[in-house]
Amino acid sequence: MSTAGTGQAVADRGDKGGVRTALAGLTTRGRSFLAAGVAAAVCSYVLGQGDLLRVGLLLAVLPLVCAAVLYRTRYRVAGSRRLSPARVPAGSEARVHLRMDNVSRLPTGLLMLQDRVPYVLGPRPRFVLDRVEAGGRREVSYRVRSDLRGRYPLGPLQLRLTDPFGMCELTRSFSSYDTLTVIPRVEPLAPVRLSGEAKGYGDGRQRSLALAGEDDVIPRGYRYGDDLRRVHWRSTARYGELMVRREEQPQRARCTVLLDTRGIAYRGAGPDSAFEWAVTGAASVLVHMLERGYSVRLLTDTGSTVPGEGGDGFAGVSQESADAAGLMMDTLAVIDHSDGAGLSRAYDVLRGGNEGLLVAFLGDLDEEQAAVLGRMRQRSPGAVAFVLDSRTWVREPSDVPGPSEGRGERLRMLREAGWTALDVPRGATLDELWRQADRERRGVAATGGGEGP
């Protein structure tokens, strides 16, 4: 849940500018009464009818009095907004709770409450509050829903004051607003062992100290029962007391999710487009791997990663794993097409070392980009690629120029480079492809055709 800051709307006492504001707030009814009163006064003068003049004065004075009384009434009203939840998957509903508190010593009149929301979230909500007593409060709520991911501002909250006769209406706006984050949908995935690893620690349990040099060892003081074979003699001579090497710690397995965001690699738009499927797939794999205890990292074709993640990515199965998932979901909520033409920047990031399991969601590929992906595979012990032919994802493929020639050749190049490459047809579910990738990896391992990731 997210709680908005509290703002106040106050009807200040008037000056000349305030009087003009009050008169500008006359409704259609109030302007009609004023025009009818002026017309009746003119007619009474022309026709010499005194009774008609009194009627005209009554009609003209009534809206002016209502405007003056409404404007000079001091309403101190505090408003707050609460989102439940503040981060919602695409296609799901969130509820917005509005609370109004009358902090003045006088009861309010008729109030109209209106909140500004983007059109993609639904119609603009309006509520009528009859009378709020001194020190009282009113709470209302409405629902918002979007099939498109993104960050949407809610507010500012507007309060309309009106008189009992409906002659005048004044609007006051609160300064605070909130942001609703619509994140990609996350599909549950089967707990398959694509990399032959359990609980995020990898086959053979790589040891962090086994990868470190002699100078990187951090010793500690000798404790009764320590194996003398672990004595670190150089540190013992330096500190003048017996020092031993620390216990080796298992190195957490890593997973990098590569998301191809190139605009030229996708066709179509909307929640059912190929690009949105790729974003949803990347979000699902990231959350799944975090839950399994992997250190995960999100990487795009531009070489950018999630702000705030460490060099090894975000660690799972920790108190911060939920925050890490939220941060990555916030990044995917606003991710868009890039202007890049290739995947070389992502390769430059991956060439620095072993990135663990590599899962890629790719759009249309040419021969050059398939070769770049082949070199990426050399930096990872295992790689799975979901390749989307965006031409098949549009409603009328025959109307889209550029046939997907050589697509089978691109998939063959990836498989020969060691990728588990799967074609993603329109309407396919990620969980089915996830299981298929596991079956293909096991089939390759059984025939000795390659090393399982």
Side-chain angles (χ1 to χ4, degrees):
M1 295 185 179
S2 173
T3 304
T6 300
Q8 291 188 352
V10 183
D12 296 328
R13 294 187 181 274
D15 49 19
K16 292 184 178 180
V19 172
R20 287 194 296 269
T21 301
L23 294 178
L26 290 175
T27 62
T28 301
R29 179 185 299 177
R31 295 176 187 272
S32 300
F33 268 66
L34 183 59
V38 172
V42 172
C43 292
S44 69
Y45 176 78
V46 173
L47 301 177
Q49 297 292 328
D51 293 338
L52 188 57
L53 178 60
R54 288 191 289 270
V55 173
L57 290 176
L58 176 62
L59 293 176
V61 169
L62 181 59
L64 297 178
V65 171
C66 290
V69 172
L70 180 64
Y71 185 78
R72 294 182 64 85
T73 302
R74 294 186 62 87
Y75 289 149
R76 296 184 60 86
V77 182
S80 62
R81 181 189 301 103
R82 178 168 54 88
L83 306 182
S84 178
R87 183 187 294 118
V88 61
S92 301
E93 290 186 345
R95 182 167 290 274
V96 183
H97 301 268
L98 303 177
R99 171 177 165 177
M100 303 300 299
D101 293 277
N102 183 10
V103 296
S104 66
R105 299 180 180 179
L106 299 175
T108 68
L110 189 66
L111 304 178
M112 177 181 290
L113 194 61
Q114 176 179 278
D115 205 7
R116 289 188 177 183
V117 299
Y119 71 95
V120 297
L121 297 182
R124 181 171 295 182
R126 293 182 175 90
F127 305 93
V128 177
L129 305 181
D130 187 10
R131 180 179 181 275
V132 182
E133 64 279 3
R137 80 175 54 158
R138 296 291 185 272
E139 294 185 5
V140 293
S141 65
Y142 64 93
R143 293 176 296 179
V144 291
R145 179 181 180 273
S146 175
D147 292 328
L148 299 174
R149 56 187 176 79
R151 293 173 62 88
Y152 301 101
L154 300 179
L157 193 64
Q158 290 183 334
L159 190 65
R160 293 185 180 182
L161 313 177
T162 184
D163 64 280
F165 300 101
M167 298 289 181
C168 184
E169 184 179 87
L170 297 180
T171 302
R172 294 290 183 266
S173 295
F174 294 80
S175 59
S176 62
Y177 67 93
D178 281 296
T179 301
L180 176 68
T181 302
V182 180
I183 61 176
R185 291 186 295 269
V186 175
E187 298 183 16
L189 301 179
V192 300
R193 299 181 62 182
L194 284 174
S195 59
E197 297 172 357
K199 298 183 180 179
Y201 286 104
D203 289 339
R205 287 183 171 265
Q206 294 174 308
R207 304 289 181 170
S208 59
L209 290 184
L211 301 176
E214 182 72 15
D215 295 336
D216 296 325
V217 175
I218 302 177
R220 62 169 174 82
Y222 174 82
R223 297 173 185 170
Y224 179 77
D226 286 339
D227 191 345
L228 293 178
R229 290 175 296 182
R230 291 172 45 212
V231 173
H232 192 253
W233 298 108
R234 182 178 300 178
S235 298
T236 299
R238 178 183 303 174
Y239 295 105
E241 60 177 319
L242 204 57
M243 307 291 289
V244 297
R245 295 181 178 86
R246 292 181 183 272
E247 292 284 351
E248 296 176 347
Q249 300 296 330
Q251 187 181 53
R252 187 180 299 277
R254 291 181 289 180
C255 174
T256 298
V257 176
L258 172 62
L259 176 61
D260 182 8
T261 63
R262 296 173 298 142
I264 62 175
Y266 299 94
R267 295 187 178 98
D272 296 329
S273 64
F275 180 66
E276 293 302 321
W277 192 97
V279 173
T280 299
S284 302
V285 173
L286 286 169
V287 172
H288 177 73
M289 288 303 188
L290 269 177
E291 292 175 348
R292 292 191 63 192
Y294 281 68
S295 292
V296 300
R297 178 169 68 168
L298 172 64
L299 179 66
T300 66
D301 57 288
T302 62
S304 61
T305 57
V306 178
E309 71 176 14
D312 293 335
F314 291 107
V317 191
S318 66
Q319 296 180 352
E320 299 179 356
S321 60
D323 296 335
L327 187 57
M328 288 187 290
M329 292 301 104
D330 290 344
T331 300
L332 289 175
V334 296
I335 202 167
D336 202 354
H337 292 295
S338 68
D339 298 330
L343 303 171
S344 57
R345 293 184 179 178
Y347 171 71
D348 292 338
V349 175
L350 293 175
R351 67 189 303 178
N354 184 1
E355 296 299 328
L357 177 64
L358 178 59
V359 181
F361 292 86
L362 307 168
D364 296 332
L365 300 174
D366 55 22
E367 185 175 352
E368 179 182 357
Q369 304 313 316
V372 173
L373 288 168
R375 293 194 297 270
M376 286 185 188
R377 172 64 177 86
Q378 300 173 2
R379 299 291 179 178
S380 175
V384 180
F386 300 94
V387 186
L388 294 91
D389 184 2
S390 61
R391 188 175 180 272
T392 65
W393 283 75
V394 296
R395 294 185 179 276
E396 298 294 339
S398 59
D399 298 337
V400 181
S404 53
E405 299 178 354
R407 178 172 180 79
E409 178 65 19
R410 308 293 182 264
L411 293 175
R412 185 188 63 80
M413 291 177 61
L414 293 179
R415 289 164 181 156
E416 289 182 351
W419 284 84
T420 302
L422 287 81
D423 184 31
V424 182
R426 180 181 176 86
T429 63
L430 180 60
D431 184 58
E432 294 177 355
L433 295 173
W434 189 252
R435 296 173 184 269
Q436 180 182 347
D438 177 52
R439 290 193 296 268
E440 292 192 10
R441 291 302 306 175
R442 286 186 296 176
V444 171
T447 58
E451 179 187 358

